[in-house]
Amino acid sequence: DAKTTQPTSMDCAEGRAANLPCNHSTISGNEYVYWYRQIHSQGPQYIIHGLKNNETNEMASLIITEDRKSSTLILPHATLRDTAVYYCIVRVNYGGATNKLIFGTGTLLAVQP
Amino acid sequence: GAVVSQHPSWVICKSGTSVKIECRSLDFQATTMFWYRQFPKQSLMLMATSNEGSKATYEQGVEKDKFLINHASLTLSTLTVTSAHPEDSSFYICSARVTATNYGYTFGSGTRLTVV
């Protein structure tokens, strides 16, 4: 299973862009990169996912390197409510029937006023 | 759309008793649900995968006789912590695959279990 590596924590000033890196050097060709976040004592919230192309939605942008060994989640204008643990996950596939999300340690993003 | 409702949000029980946690898919059918456990300041740990109408698949090291999972319908999965002990105190979260959406997975709001 492909593993991910993320910094333990990051700070970001309110209103500035938050760039959260993730390494997934052992990712295989058919594995997607998912990003979720977890605000304290809540269930994880989906942010964005991608395979090889850069993706953008109303919450964030996902930049995946050409070799797919790393990616960056960009929150364009961070607010205090974006303070959370951000998880970068590579989706595993067992026998094609069940895809599990295995969480790593994540990055605690603290948005500072 | 694609909401998973998890109840209760918190529960306190006495050591030795059993506790049931419910996870319902409100507006979709969930053939596959996942159960996670999270200790303070730690990441989510996958406990088991449940498929409607069949036995759950447990991750290595998770006691299937202690954590009973039932997924008898396409909208309901339950996790029962049997003979709970203080070390079972944790945050339990369910998740469901949503094949009809772009992102594929949605999570419940979690259940804080405290065993005293």
Side-chain angles (χ1 to χ4, degrees), chain B residues 4-114:
Chain B
V4 167
S5 176
Q6 185 172 345
H7 292 280
S9 55
W10 61 271
V11 58
I12 301 173
C13 72
K14 291 185 177 180
S15 187
T17 62
S18 296
V19 173
K20 180 184 285 188
I21 301 170
E22 290 190 349
C23 190
R24 293 181 183 272
S25 57
L26 296 186
D27 47 6
F28 68 100
Q29 293 182 330
T31 55
T32 304
M33 286 192 175
F34 306 90
W35 288 94
Y36 293 84
R37 179 169 56 182
Q38 186 176 33
F39 292 109
K41 298 189 184 301
Q42 294 187 22
S43 185
L44 285 77
M45 185 192 79
L46 181 65
M47 299 174 67
T49 302
S50 73
N51 292 296
E52 184 267 336
S54 62
K55 289 184 178 180
T57 302
Y58 290 81
E59 296 297 305
Q60 192 172 9
V62 178
E63 301 173 61
K64 60 183 178 182
D65 294 332
K66 181 170 185 61
F67 299 100
L68 301 179
I69 292 172
N70 184 283
H71 194 161
S73 79
L74 287 171
T75 59
L76 175 64
S77 177
T78 61
L79 167 68
T80 302
V81 183
T82 63
S83 186
H85 291 285
E87 56 265 30
D88 299 323
S89 298
S90 188
F91 192 55
Y92 293 87
I93 307 168
C94 65
S95 173
R97 272 198 79 194
V98 189
T99 55
T101 68
N102 190 34
Y103 49 84
Y105 302 85
T106 190
F107 287 80
S109 54
T111 298
R112 174 75 58 193
L113 171 63
T114 302

